[in-house]
Structure formats: C-alpha cells, structure tokens
Amino acid sequence: MIRDYLRRLDDKPGVYRMLDQKGDVLYVGKARSLRKRVASYAKAVGHNARIGRMVAATASMMFVTTETETEALLLEQNLIKQLKPRFNVLLRDDKSFPSIILTGEHAFPRLAKHRGLRKEKGRYFGPFASAGAVNRTINQLQKAFLIRTCSEPMFESRTRPCLLHQIKRCSAPCVGLIGEVEYAALVEDAALFLSGKSTRIQETLARQMGEAAATMEFERAAALRDRIRALTAVQANQGVNPEGVEEADVVALWQEGGHACVQVFFIRANQNWGNRAYFPRAGAGIEAGEILEAFIGQFYGNKTPARCILTSHAPDNADLLAEALTAQLVRKVEISVPQRGEKARLVEQAARNAREALARRMAESASQAALLEGLAAAFDLDGPPERIEVYDNSHIMGTNAVGAMIVAGPEGFVKSQYRKFNIRGTELTPGDDFGMMREVLTRRFARLAREESEGRAETRPDLVLIDGGAGQVAAARAALEELGVEDVTIIGVAKGVDRDAGKEEFHRPGKPPMALGHRDPVLYFVQRLRDEAHRFAIGAHRAKRAAQTRATPLDEVPGVGAARKRALLAHFGSAKAVARAGLADLKAAPGISDALAEAIHGFFHGER
C-alpha cells in the first residue's frame, strides 16, 4: 500500500502522516525528500519492531510539501502537539515557565511574577523552573532591596505604609518615605543581582555596613546586614551557580526499561534558576537522538531558548534544530554535547537527576499499578482502569456553584486535564446537587462525543467516581444514558455511617451498597482521589467567589477594559466615585477619551 504513493511523490521536503483504517493518525514525520522517506517504509525488511508495527498498521498516508526542511521541522512539531500520534515521542507537559519582571512605566517600578507573553514594558528575568522558585526569590529580593510588589491601584490608594514596610520588606514609596532617586538605585541593584552581578552588590553592601558601623549607625548597619543575608539566601536556593556558563539550557536524557526522563536545568546570568524533570512518551527501541530531537522541538514551541543548549546526547538533525531555534530567537542558538570542563559537569549533574527522577517515577508507577489492579478486583471491573475521572461540586447555599473533574491513571494525577465547570442551569433549585451533577456530566460527555466525531478527543474514561451516594449515582447514570454512553462504570463514594473517613459506602447502579476493609489500600486510594477532587472543587469555588467579590459596576460598562478600569479606580479611588463623577471630571481622567467619558456617564446616569 505504501509503495503506491511513490509514483505521486517528488524529492521536495515536507511532512507526512501515517493513518490507520479508522483514519486515526499513527505517526507524523518530516523528510528532506518525501519520496526517499516513503521508499524506506515501502521496503519489506530492515525495520525495527516499532517501525514494523507502525508500517503494518498504516492504511493510508497524507503529505504536505514545504519550501525548506526547517519549515518541515516546525510543521512536524506543531502537528505532533496537535494530533498526539501514538508512535511519536510526545512531550506531555509543555506549559510556559514563570519569570520575574521589574516594571518599566512607573516612577517606582514594582517586582512581580510573570507568566505568558511579555507584553508589559519592563525588564524580564528568567525562566525559573517553577512558581515556587519565583515566589521564594521575590520574597528574598523584597528583604534585600525593599522594592514594592503591590498593584498599581493599591499603590495609588495608600495613605499610610502597609504591613510589608513594617516588617522591612518594602521602602514604602507609596507614601513618600523614599525618593525616586534612592528607589531607582534599589531597583538597579536588584536588576544587577538578577543579571548575575551578585558579588558586586554584596561587596558594596558589606562596605556600606562597615561604614555605618564605624560611624555608630547601628540600626542602618543591621538593616544592611539583613539585606546581605537575604541575598545569600537567594543564592543558596539557586543551588549550583556555574561561573563559566553565563546562559544555557542543560538538557539531559536517561532511558531505562522503555521509559525516558529528560531533566532541564536553566542557567541564566551565571545562576542556576532551577530544574525540572519531564517524562516524554517514548517506547522501547527509540534512540536517544530521536527522543531529544522531538523533545527540543516540542519544548521550545512556546518558550524562549537559551543561546546555548547543552545536551547529554546529540539530537537527530541538531543543525536543523539549531537553525529553527535561531530563527525563533533572532540570534544564534548552538546545540552541543560538551565533553569536558564545567559544561560537561553540568550535563552529568542533569543526567544524574534524570536517572534518579526516572527511578522514583518507575517506583511510583509500580505502586500505582498495584492499586489500580486492586481497584479493578474490588469493584469487578474488566481490568485496571487506564483513566479515572472523579467529579465533585462546590457551592455555598447554591451561590457561585462550580463542578470539578480531576483525572488519574497509571502515572497518578493528570493535572493538565483537570476541568472546572461553572454551573449554568437557570432552572436548578439553589443547592440542587443532583441537578448540578447531571449538568456537569452532560456537558463533559456531550463535548467528548463531539471531539470523538472530529477525531481529536481525549481518551474516554474507564471509571467515573462521584462524590455522593445513590441519588448522585442515579443522576449521573441518567445523564450518561441520555447521551448513549453505556460503557463507563459509575461508582458513588458516600461518607457512610457517622460520615467518618474509613466508613465509606460505595454505590453502583443496580447493585447493593458495599464497603471496603478499614485498612484496605484500595480504600485509601479512593479516599485520596475523592479528597483531590474535593480540594480542586473548593479551590475553583473560592476563585469564583473571590472574582465576584472583586467585581465592580465598571465591569459592565461597554468599552471599559482592565487597563481603563485600573486608570479610573486610580484616579477616582472607587467605582462608587466613578459612578457619581460628572462628565467634565470623567473627561479629565487620564486615558479616557471624550466619547468613552460620555458612554460611562450615560451608563451610570440612565442615558443608555
């Protein structure tokens, strides 16, 4: 079958897709010459077991030609992330990383955590491996440089110093306790420190502390001492700080038993800003070079690469990858495998971390597999579930109601697939948990059915756990039956006698309630699943309630977005003051045009 395509192909570069009889994509690949690549698949011999299975399952192919091989590489990685073919190496977690910003459009810049596109003007420092690493660094930088972290409206509305000033973490520029020049010096010191000039900053502070002590300014000397300690704490949290590597991403791979772990270290300004482990889906028989090529291509799809990428193994098509990343960064990016010196030691350290992380992951997976087998035996399932979805609702007397879904499987909780549902039903009685559950499951499985028809659905769950008893289970079953879903097992987890943990009752459609032994590991496992769903639901409910609390009438005014709302609140002090303002006052507010001022005035004075 594959040989039939050779007559219609030329030697242009491009991307090919291999599909099975159902039309599902098995594999996405790129080629310098589509004709030569397809010819290699058409051969009857010479394939490893993985390629042999893939070729045997292929019923048809699709092709897209490109002008260059670099374009083919970028298109290939985009299609892999979109289609998730089962024979490709897949990066399962490609979220953006947080960074630190020193804002640039204010006389007193603020220090803040940032994630996503860098639209706001200012100086950015990062990436950091986690939000926790950013929060710890900001916390210590506050102590060291006394830079504000408050929002613009809070800054403008202050009339006296806040608690952060009292605990010596802010210099209180909001109430004039520090001038612009002095504050600018603190900001510049913080920027120098984040740029790798920590030694210079500490030497300056140490000299100032000595001078203050010599002139008996002991309070100032103690404050400078505390700032030096804070800087030392930041460096301690950063771990190894390489002196000879100013900027690099260290990418090390470890493979064992058909599993793979890639450890990434972020080196910026001669400082280690954290590391993170990834576990790409890569079966047995895939070479290290292919894994790293796929990982690097997918990893940097939404991230800025360092100018130097140090790897433990040479990725396939490393020059092509470097060319694509250079075009993305608009400056030269090099990919290399260091053999000696400090760079090689960094790669060895990353590889050791990858090996240890994979060992922990495999141990956890073995324990998880045993629990899933126990779950299947306890509830007479056909086999260990591959995907468990757990549902819960959260509300206060029916207000701010949300539904929540968490996902678990052989590798534990799959947090990237958690979902929350704002309850929309207008006919529901406030607090109607059964109605809420029906709505959540109806929306979830109706969407799943649409995605399945379009060929882009997530895996259907084997097991659905409901936080509730027989009534909740009946509501869930009715919702699924209306959608024609009959192949999903539903189990309700009720609190049981005295609503005590350990006395849970389990409800299944058409079967009597049952219980598990008080010390049964499966019981603990189900409790953990239920508690995670409960935690996620409560968090979603609190976030919704907090958003409602922060809401103002300005949110309903056409043409007033977040930036203009901040400007109005900063100028007038409150939404109530905006509502009472005259037309002339509104026109005088910064950033508000005459037309918008008239629209705002009309909104609050019944001229709509």
Side-chain angles (χ1 to χ4, degrees), residues 223-272:
L224 290 167
R225 178 203 61 200
D226 292 341
R227 291 178 61 187
I228 294 171
R229 286 178 178 174
L231 292 179
T232 305
V234 175
Q235 293 169 319
N237 283 327
Q238 288 168 344
V240 178
N241 294 312
E243 295 181 1
V245 183
E246 181 180 355
E247 178 182 331
D249 289 340
V250 184
V251 182
L253 168 69
W254 189 268
Q255 291 176 272
E256 187 174 333
H259 300 276
C261 176
V262 177
Q263 188 82 212
V264 184
F265 278 71
F266 303 99
I267 309 297
R268 298 293 187 275
N270 299 103
Q271 301 174 33
N272 176 10

Short mmCIF file of all heavy atoms in Angstrom, two decimals, residues 223-272:
data_model
loop_
_atom_site.label_atom_id
_atom_site.label_comp_id
_atom_site.label_asym_id
_atom_site.label_seq_id
_atom_site.Cartn_x
_atom_site.Cartn_y
_atom_site.Cartn_z
N ALA A 223 20.29 46.83 59.21
CA ALA A 223 19.44 46.71 58.03
C ALA A 223 20.24 46.21 56.83
O ALA A 223 19.78 45.35 56.06
CB ALA A 223 18.78 48.05 57.71
N LEU A 224 21.46 46.74 56.67
CA LEU A 224 22.33 46.28 55.58
C LEU A 224 22.74 44.84 55.78
O LEU A 224 22.82 44.06 54.81
CB LEU A 224 23.56 47.19 55.49
CG LEU A 224 23.29 48.61 55.00
CD1 LEU A 224 24.50 49.50 55.27
CD2 LEU A 224 22.93 48.61 53.52
N ARG A 225 22.98 44.43 57.02
CA ARG A 225 23.31 43.03 57.31
C ARG A 225 22.16 42.11 56.89
O ARG A 225 22.37 41.05 56.29
CB ARG A 225 23.58 42.87 58.81
CG ARG A 225 23.88 41.44 59.26
CD ARG A 225 23.57 41.28 60.73
NE ARG A 225 22.16 41.54 61.00
CZ ARG A 225 21.67 41.84 62.21
NH1 ARG A 225 22.49 41.95 63.24
NH2 ARG A 225 20.38 42.05 62.37
N ASP A 226 20.93 42.53 57.20
CA ASP A 226 19.77 41.71 56.84
C ASP A 226 19.65 41.58 55.32
O ASP A 226 19.25 40.54 54.80
CB ASP A 226 18.49 42.32 57.41
CG ASP A 226 18.44 42.24 58.94
OD1 ASP A 226 19.20 41.43 59.50
OD2 ASP A 226 17.65 43.00 59.55
N ARG A 227 19.99 42.66 54.59
CA ARG A 227 19.92 42.60 53.13
C ARG A 227 20.96 41.63 52.58
O ARG A 227 20.69 40.86 51.65
CB ARG A 227 20.13 44.00 52.55
CG ARG A 227 18.98 44.97 52.83
CD ARG A 227 19.27 46.34 52.27
NE ARG A 227 19.43 46.31 50.83
CZ ARG A 227 19.81 47.35 50.09
NH1 ARG A 227 20.11 48.51 50.69
NH2 ARG A 227 19.93 47.25 48.78
N ILE A 228 22.16 41.63 53.17
CA ILE A 228 23.20 40.69 52.73
C ILE A 228 22.77 39.25 52.98
O ILE A 228 22.95 38.37 52.14
CB ILE A 228 24.54 41.00 53.44
CG1 ILE A 228 25.07 42.37 53.01
CG2 ILE A 228 25.56 39.91 53.17
CD1 ILE A 228 26.25 42.86 53.81
N ARG A 229 22.16 39.00 54.14
CA ARG A 229 21.68 37.66 54.45
C ARG A 229 20.60 37.22 53.45
O ARG A 229 20.55 36.06 53.05
CB ARG A 229 21.12 37.61 55.87
CG ARG A 229 22.18 37.65 56.96
CD ARG A 229 21.54 37.66 58.35
NE ARG A 229 22.55 37.64 59.40
CZ ARG A 229 22.27 37.75 60.70
NH1 ARG A 229 21.01 37.90 61.09
NH2 ARG A 229 23.24 37.71 61.59
N ALA A 230 19.73 38.15 53.07
CA ALA A 230 18.68 37.82 52.11
C ALA A 230 19.27 37.44 50.75
O ALA A 230 18.82 36.47 50.12
CB ALA A 230 17.73 39.01 51.94
N LEU A 231 20.30 38.16 50.31
CA LEU A 231 20.95 37.82 49.05
C LEU A 231 21.61 36.45 49.14
O LEU A 231 21.56 35.65 48.19
CB LEU A 231 22.01 38.88 48.71
CG LEU A 231 21.48 40.27 48.35
CD1 LEU A 231 22.64 41.21 48.08
CD2 LEU A 231 20.56 40.20 47.16
N THR A 232 22.22 36.15 50.25
CA THR A 232 22.84 34.84 50.44
C THR A 232 21.79 33.73 50.38
O THR A 232 22.04 32.66 49.83
CB THR A 232 23.58 34.79 51.79
OG1 THR A 232 24.52 35.87 51.85
CG2 THR A 232 24.30 33.47 51.96
N ALA A 233 20.61 34.00 50.94
CA ALA A 233 19.53 33.01 50.92
C ALA A 233 19.07 32.73 49.50
O ALA A 233 18.77 31.59 49.14
CB ALA A 233 18.36 33.49 51.77
N VAL A 234 19.01 33.77 48.65
CA VAL A 234 18.62 33.56 47.26
C VAL A 234 19.62 32.64 46.57
O VAL A 234 19.26 31.69 45.87
CB VAL A 234 18.55 34.91 46.50
CG1 VAL A 234 18.26 34.67 45.02
CG2 VAL A 234 17.47 35.79 47.10
N GLN A 235 20.92 32.92 46.78
CA GLN A 235 21.94 32.10 46.13
C GLN A 235 21.91 30.66 46.64
O GLN A 235 22.13 29.72 45.88
CB GLN A 235 23.32 32.72 46.38
CG GLN A 235 23.48 34.06 45.69
CD GLN A 235 24.73 34.79 46.14
OE1 GLN A 235 25.05 34.79 47.33
NE2 GLN A 235 25.42 35.42 45.22
N ALA A 236 21.61 30.48 47.91
CA ALA A 236 21.53 29.12 48.46
C ALA A 236 20.40 28.35 47.81
O ALA A 236 20.53 27.16 47.50
CB ALA A 236 21.32 29.19 49.97
N ASN A 237 19.26 29.00 47.57
CA ASN A 237 18.13 28.33 46.93
C ASN A 237 18.41 28.01 45.48
O ASN A 237 17.81 27.11 44.91
CB ASN A 237 16.88 29.22 47.02
CG ASN A 237 16.25 29.18 48.40
OD1 ASN A 237 16.31 28.17 49.07
ND2 ASN A 237 15.65 30.29 48.81
N GLN A 238 19.33 28.75 44.84
CA GLN A 238 19.62 28.51 43.44
C GLN A 238 20.56 27.32 43.24
O GLN A 238 20.73 26.85 42.12
CB GLN A 238 20.26 29.76 42.81
CG GLN A 238 19.25 30.89 42.63
CD GLN A 238 19.93 32.20 42.29
OE1 GLN A 238 21.14 32.33 42.47
NE2 GLN A 238 19.17 33.15 41.81
N GLY A 239 21.14 26.81 44.32
CA GLY A 239 21.98 25.63 44.19
C GLY A 239 23.29 25.97 43.52
O GLY A 239 23.94 26.96 43.81
N VAL A 240 23.69 25.12 42.56
CA VAL A 240 24.97 25.29 41.88
C VAL A 240 24.91 26.50 40.96
O VAL A 240 24.01 26.61 40.12
CB VAL A 240 25.31 24.03 41.06
CG1 VAL A 240 26.61 24.23 40.32
CG2 VAL A 240 25.40 22.82 41.97
N ASN A 241 25.85 27.42 41.12
CA ASN A 241 25.92 28.61 40.27
C ASN A 241 27.21 28.54 39.45
O ASN A 241 28.29 28.87 39.96
CB ASN A 241 25.89 29.88 41.11
CG ASN A 241 24.56 30.05 41.82
OD1 ASN A 241 23.51 29.92 41.22
ND2 ASN A 241 24.63 30.34 43.10
N PRO A 242 27.15 28.12 38.19
CA PRO A 242 28.38 27.96 37.39
C PRO A 242 29.01 29.29 37.06
O PRO A 242 28.32 30.22 36.62
CB PRO A 242 27.87 27.25 36.13
CG PRO A 242 26.44 27.62 36.03
CD PRO A 242 25.94 27.75 37.45
N GLU A 243 30.29 29.38 37.25
CA GLU A 243 30.98 30.65 37.00
C GLU A 243 31.27 30.84 35.51
O GLU A 243 31.27 31.96 35.02
CB GLU A 243 32.29 30.69 37.79
CG GLU A 243 32.08 30.71 39.32
CD GLU A 243 33.39 30.77 40.08
OE1 GLU A 243 34.44 30.82 39.40
OE2 GLU A 243 33.37 30.76 41.31
N GLY A 244 31.53 29.74 34.79
CA GLY A 244 31.95 29.86 33.40
C GLY A 244 30.83 29.71 32.39
O GLY A 244 31.09 29.70 31.19
N VAL A 245 29.58 29.57 32.84
CA VAL A 245 28.45 29.41 31.92
C VAL A 245 27.46 30.52 32.22
O VAL A 245 26.76 30.48 33.23
CB VAL A 245 27.78 28.03 32.07
CG1 VAL A 245 26.66 27.88 31.06
CG2 VAL A 245 28.80 26.91 31.90
N GLU A 246 27.40 31.52 31.35
CA GLU A 246 26.54 32.67 31.61
C GLU A 246 25.08 32.35 31.30
O GLU A 246 24.19 32.67 32.07
CB GLU A 246 26.99 33.86 30.76
CG GLU A 246 26.12 35.10 31.00
CD GLU A 246 26.56 36.28 30.15
OE1 GLU A 246 27.59 36.16 29.45
OE2 GLU A 246 25.88 37.32 30.20
N GLU A 247 24.82 31.70 30.16
CA GLU A 247 23.44 31.42 29.76
C GLU A 247 23.38 30.09 29.01
O GLU A 247 24.07 29.90 28.01
CB GLU A 247 22.91 32.53 28.84
CG GLU A 247 21.49 32.28 28.34
CD GLU A 247 21.00 33.36 27.40
OE1 GLU A 247 21.46 34.50 27.53
OE2 GLU A 247 20.16 33.05 26.54
N ALA A 248 22.59 29.17 29.52
CA ALA A 248 22.46 27.86 28.87
C ALA A 248 21.22 27.13 29.39
O ALA A 248 20.77 27.38 30.51
CB ALA A 248 23.70 27.00 29.12
N ASP A 249 20.69 26.28 28.56
CA ASP A 249 19.71 25.28 28.99
C ASP A 249 20.41 23.94 28.91
O ASP A 249 20.96 23.56 27.87
CB ASP A 249 18.47 25.28 28.07
CG ASP A 249 17.61 26.51 28.26
OD1 ASP A 249 17.73 27.16 29.30
OD2 ASP A 249 16.82 26.82 27.35
N VAL A 250 20.42 23.22 30.02
CA VAL A 250 21.08 21.92 30.09
C VAL A 250 19.99 20.85 29.97
O VAL A 250 19.08 20.78 30.80
CB VAL A 250 21.86 21.75 31.40
CG1 VAL A 250 22.62 20.43 31.40
CG2 VAL A 250 22.82 22.92 31.59
N VAL A 251 20.07 20.02 28.93
CA VAL A 251 19.04 19.03 28.63
C VAL A 251 19.68 17.65 28.63
O VAL A 251 20.49 17.33 27.75
CB VAL A 251 18.39 19.32 27.26
CG1 VAL A 251 17.28 18.30 26.97
CG2 VAL A 251 17.85 20.73 27.20
N ALA A 252 19.33 16.84 29.64
CA ALA A 252 19.95 15.51 29.78
C ALA A 252 18.87 14.43 29.78
O ALA A 252 17.82 14.58 30.41
CB ALA A 252 20.77 15.44 31.07
N LEU A 253 19.16 13.35 29.07
CA LEU A 253 18.21 12.24 28.91
C LEU A 253 18.72 11.01 29.62
O LEU A 253 19.91 10.69 29.59
CB LEU A 253 18.03 11.95 27.42
CG LEU A 253 17.30 10.64 27.05
CD1 LEU A 253 15.82 10.73 27.43
CD2 LEU A 253 17.47 10.34 25.57
N TRP A 254 17.77 10.28 30.27
CA TRP A 254 18.08 8.96 30.84
C TRP A 254 16.97 8.00 30.42
O TRP A 254 15.79 8.31 30.57
CB TRP A 254 18.19 9.03 32.36
CG TRP A 254 18.71 7.73 32.93
CD1 TRP A 254 18.00 6.66 33.37
CD2 TRP A 254 20.09 7.38 33.08
NE1 TRP A 254 18.83 5.67 33.80
CE2 TRP A 254 20.13 6.08 33.63
CE3 TRP A 254 21.29 8.04 32.81
CZ2 TRP A 254 21.33 5.43 33.91
CZ3 TRP A 254 22.48 7.38 33.08
CH2 TRP A 254 22.49 6.10 33.64
N GLN A 255 17.35 6.83 29.89
CA GLN A 255 16.39 5.82 29.45
C GLN A 255 16.57 4.54 30.23
O GLN A 255 17.71 4.14 30.55
CB GLN A 255 16.57 5.51 27.96
CG GLN A 255 16.20 6.62 27.02
CD GLN A 255 16.50 6.25 25.58
OE1 GLN A 255 17.61 6.48 25.09
NE2 GLN A 255 15.51 5.69 24.89
N GLU A 256 15.46 3.90 30.55
CA GLU A 256 15.52 2.63 31.26
C GLU A 256 14.17 1.92 31.15
O GLU A 256 13.12 2.53 31.37
CB GLU A 256 15.84 2.87 32.74
CG GLU A 256 16.09 1.61 33.54
CD GLU A 256 16.54 1.91 34.96
OE1 GLU A 256 17.14 2.98 35.19
OE2 GLU A 256 16.27 1.08 35.84
N GLY A 257 14.22 0.66 30.76
CA GLY A 257 13.02 -0.16 30.73
C GLY A 257 11.90 0.38 29.85
O GLY A 257 10.72 0.24 30.16
N GLY A 258 12.26 0.99 28.71
CA GLY A 258 11.24 1.52 27.83
C GLY A 258 10.66 2.85 28.27
O GLY A 258 9.71 3.34 27.66
N HIS A 259 11.24 3.45 29.32
CA HIS A 259 10.79 4.75 29.81
C HIS A 259 11.93 5.75 29.66
O HIS A 259 13.11 5.38 29.56
CB HIS A 259 10.36 4.67 31.28
CG HIS A 259 9.24 3.71 31.52
ND1 HIS A 259 7.92 4.05 31.34
CD2 HIS A 259 9.24 2.41 31.92
CE1 HIS A 259 7.15 3.02 31.62
NE2 HIS A 259 7.93 2.00 31.97
N ALA A 260 11.58 7.03 29.66
CA ALA A 260 12.59 8.08 29.49
C ALA A 260 12.28 9.26 30.40
O ALA A 260 11.12 9.56 30.68
CB ALA A 260 12.63 8.54 28.03
N CYS A 261 13.35 9.90 30.86
CA CYS A 261 13.23 11.15 31.63
C CYS A 261 14.21 12.15 31.05
O CYS A 261 15.37 11.83 30.79
CB CYS A 261 13.54 10.91 33.11
SG CYS A 261 13.53 12.44 34.10
N VAL A 262 13.72 13.37 30.84
CA VAL A 262 14.57 14.46 30.39
C VAL A 262 14.60 15.51 31.49
O VAL A 262 13.56 16.00 31.91
CB VAL A 262 14.06 15.09 29.08
CG1 VAL A 262 14.94 16.26 28.68
CG2 VAL A 262 14.04 14.05 27.96
N GLN A 263 15.79 15.81 31.96
CA GLN A 263 15.96 16.82 33.01
C GLN A 263 16.49 18.10 32.35
O GLN A 263 17.45 18.07 31.57
CB GLN A 263 16.95 16.34 34.06
CG GLN A 263 17.06 17.22 35.28
CD GLN A 263 15.96 16.97 36.30
OE1 GLN A 263 15.55 17.88 36.99
NE2 GLN A 263 15.51 15.73 36.41
N VAL A 264 15.85 19.24 32.66
CA VAL A 264 16.26 20.52 32.09
C VAL A 264 16.69 21.45 33.23
O VAL A 264 15.93 21.66 34.18
CB VAL A 264 15.12 21.18 31.29
CG1 VAL A 264 15.61 22.46 30.64
CG2 VAL A 264 14.60 20.22 30.22
N PHE A 265 17.90 21.98 33.13
CA PHE A 265 18.41 23.00 34.04
C PHE A 265 18.42 24.34 33.32
O PHE A 265 18.81 24.40 32.14
CB PHE A 265 19.84 22.67 34.51
CG PHE A 265 19.91 21.68 35.63
CD1 PHE A 265 19.61 20.35 35.42
CD2 PHE A 265 20.29 22.08 36.90
CE1 PHE A 265 19.69 19.43 36.45
CE2 PHE A 265 20.38 21.18 37.94
CZ PHE A 265 20.07 19.84 37.72
N PHE A 266 18.03 25.41 34.02
CA PHE A 266 18.03 26.74 33.42
C PHE A 266 19.15 27.56 34.03
O PHE A 266 19.11 27.88 35.22
CB PHE A 266 16.68 27.43 33.66
CG PHE A 266 15.51 26.64 33.14
CD1 PHE A 266 14.75 25.87 33.99
CD2 PHE A 266 15.19 26.68 31.80
CE1 PHE A 266 13.68 25.14 33.51
CE2 PHE A 266 14.13 25.94 31.31
CZ PHE A 266 13.37 25.17 32.16
N ILE A 267 20.14 27.90 33.24
CA ILE A 267 21.26 28.73 33.68
C ILE A 267 21.12 30.09 33.03
O ILE A 267 21.12 30.20 31.80
CB ILE A 267 22.62 28.11 33.30
CG1 ILE A 267 22.71 26.64 33.75
CG2 ILE A 267 23.76 28.93 33.89
CD1 ILE A 267 22.64 26.44 35.23
N ARG A 268 20.97 31.13 33.86
CA ARG A 268 20.89 32.49 33.35
C ARG A 268 21.75 33.38 34.23
O ARG A 268 21.71 33.27 35.46
CB ARG A 268 19.45 33.03 33.36
CG ARG A 268 18.47 32.26 32.48
CD ARG A 268 18.79 32.41 31.00
NE ARG A 268 17.76 31.79 30.18
CZ ARG A 268 17.72 30.50 29.86
NH1 ARG A 268 18.67 29.69 30.31
NH2 ARG A 268 16.76 30.04 29.08
N ALA A 269 22.52 34.28 33.60
CA ALA A 269 23.36 35.22 34.34
C ALA A 269 24.25 34.50 35.34
O ALA A 269 24.39 34.93 36.48
CB ALA A 269 22.50 36.27 35.04
N ASN A 270 24.84 33.38 34.90
CA ASN A 270 25.73 32.57 35.75
C ASN A 270 25.03 32.02 36.99
O ASN A 270 25.69 31.66 37.97
CB ASN A 270 26.96 33.38 36.18
CG ASN A 270 27.79 33.82 35.00
OD1 ASN A 270 27.74 34.98 34.59
ND2 ASN A 270 28.56 32.91 34.43
N GLN A 271 23.71 31.97 36.98
CA GLN A 271 22.96 31.46 38.13
C GLN A 271 22.04 30.32 37.69
O GLN A 271 21.47 30.36 36.60
CB GLN A 271 22.11 32.58 38.75
CG GLN A 271 22.92 33.77 39.23
CD GLN A 271 22.04 34.90 39.72
OE1 GLN A 271 20.97 34.67 40.25
NE2 GLN A 271 22.48 36.13 39.53
N ASN A 272 21.92 29.34 38.55
CA ASN A 272 21.02 28.23 38.29
C ASN A 272 19.63 28.61 38.80
O ASN A 272 19.41 28.76 39.99
CB ASN A 272 21.52 26.97 39.03
CG ASN A 272 20.57 25.80 38.89
OD1 ASN A 272 19.63 25.85 38.09
ND2 ASN A 272 20.82 24.75 39.64
#
